[in-house]
Each structure stands twice: as structure tokens, then as C-alpha cells.
Amino acid sequence: MPITRADVGCWIIKCNPATGTDYFGTLDRMPSTGVSPTDLHPDSWCLSARSRRRTLVREGDLVALWVTGPKYPGIYEYGWVTGVRPDEPAAGPEFGGGKDAVPDKLHYQAIRLGRAGHIARSLVQATPELAACEQLRAPMMSNPSYLTDDETRGLAQLIAARQSAEQLRAARWDTLL
């Protein structure tokens, strides 16, 4: 059954470092002075051109980045959507077909949890509110995935154990606690 906006507490955007996005390399290259890994930063990720869900995403929606793969999978960023706009035209079946297919890009502001502070998949699996979430049930699903309101509150509790109230407020996740 298709989801509606009422089903969504938070969008999950996935990145797989094994398939071209060097997320961990980006973390390693972050400056050691100046920008803190817990400062808000802008970013964007492609949404599947084949997914109807991309039409449900709205500015202000909560979002979290899930890094997949065999090493250190889990939630690495949390924040909110700043917009969804068409990306550059792309050719290829991964975007839904021919040369005219144009994926949307979800733009967001987020706080990075970093390697040491990320919410590991094993912790998500062990958390009752998150144990049946879509990301665990259908890990290969294209972007975006989602958490329900209850699942989002469960994730917010896990993040709050690692982040200050100020950081939660800056990322717009403070209202969930």
C-alpha cells in the first residue's frame, strides 16, 4: 500500500560508500579546526525518479542520512529538508530510463554525528521503536525511505543521548522529545 504524508515522521536518505559516494572520505577530510562535525551543513542527495515518494517530500520535513554497506552502517546525519529540485538531466536506467529522465535532488541542512557518534544499525535493530522500520525491512529500497512518527521519536531519543539540546534545536529535532 502506498504511503501518504501522514505516515511519515522523517525521511531517510541512503548513501552507499561502496557505490561511488565516498562518505567516510568526506568525513576524514573535514577540517580539524574551524568547522565542527556537529555544525549545521548543507547537503543534497538524489531521489529515485521512479519513486512516487519524491512528490511527498516538503520543505521543513525532518530527514536523516543512513550510510549503508558492510562497514559501520547506520544514521550519520539528522536535520531538515530545505527543498526538492530537479537535478541535472541524467541518462541511464538508474534514474528511471532514458536520456530524458531527470532525478530530483533533496536538499537539506543537517548535523553530522560522525563515525564515533553515529547510530549504528545494531542499535537501531535493538531499539523497540525502530526494530521494524522500513530501512531494516527493505534495505535496498531507493531514496527516499521513511520512519513513522513513533520511529522518528525513537531515533530522536537515540540522537539526544549523543547530542546537546542546542544541537537538537539547531537541527529542528528538539520538538520530538
Side-chain angles (χ1 to χ4, degrees), residues 5-176:
R5 284 195 47 79
D7 297 318
V8 178
C10 164
W11 294 106
I12 300 293
I13 303 302
K14 295 169 290 298
C15 138
N16 186 343
T19 61
T21 302
D22 187 10
Y23 184 80
F24 295 119
T26 300
L27 284 181
D28 293 342
R29 289 186 298 275
M30 287 174 52
S32 58
T33 58
V35 178
S36 164
T38 56
D39 286 342
L40 280 170
H41 73 94
D43 209 340
S44 62
W45 291 93
C46 285
L47 300 177
S48 172
R50 295 176 294 206
S51 175
R52 183 187 72 82
R53 291 180 179 189
R54 74 186 190 290
T55 65
L56 299 177
V57 180
R58 299 286 183 273
E59 187 174 325
D61 288 352
L62 297 179
V63 64
L65 176 72
W66 179 285
V67 176
T68 66
K71 290 187 176 184
Y72 319 113
I75 299 288
Y76 280 79
E77 300 181 12
Y78 67 104
W80 76 95
V81 175
T82 59
V84 176
R85 295 181 287 286
D87 196 5
E88 296 299 316
E94 68 272 23
F95 296 118
K99 63 182 179 182
D100 298 324
V102 178
D104 287 331
K105 266 208 170 166
L106 181 145
H107 298 268
Y108 65 95
Q109 289 280 332
I111 291 180
R112 287 187 177 113
L113 294 165
R115 285 188 197 209
H118 82 283
I119 310 297
R121 177 175 52 206
S122 58
L123 182 55
V124 172
Q125 291 169 321
T127 302
E129 297 87 355
L130 293 165
C133 72
E134 184 177 57
Q135 179 58 33
L136 297 176
R137 289 183 285 111
M140 301 297 284
M141 183 175 281
S142 60
N143 281 334
S145 186
Y146 77 103
L147 296 178
T148 65
D149 286 333
D150 289 341
E151 292 165 346
T152 303
R153 280 191 289 281
L155 177 59
Q157 292 290 332
L158 296 176
I159 292 170
R162 292 164 165 72
Q163 300 275 277
S164 70
E166 181 181 337
Q167 290 164 318
L168 287 161
R169 194 170 26 263
R172 301 184 181 179
W173 280 64
D174 59 316
T175 61
L176 299 167

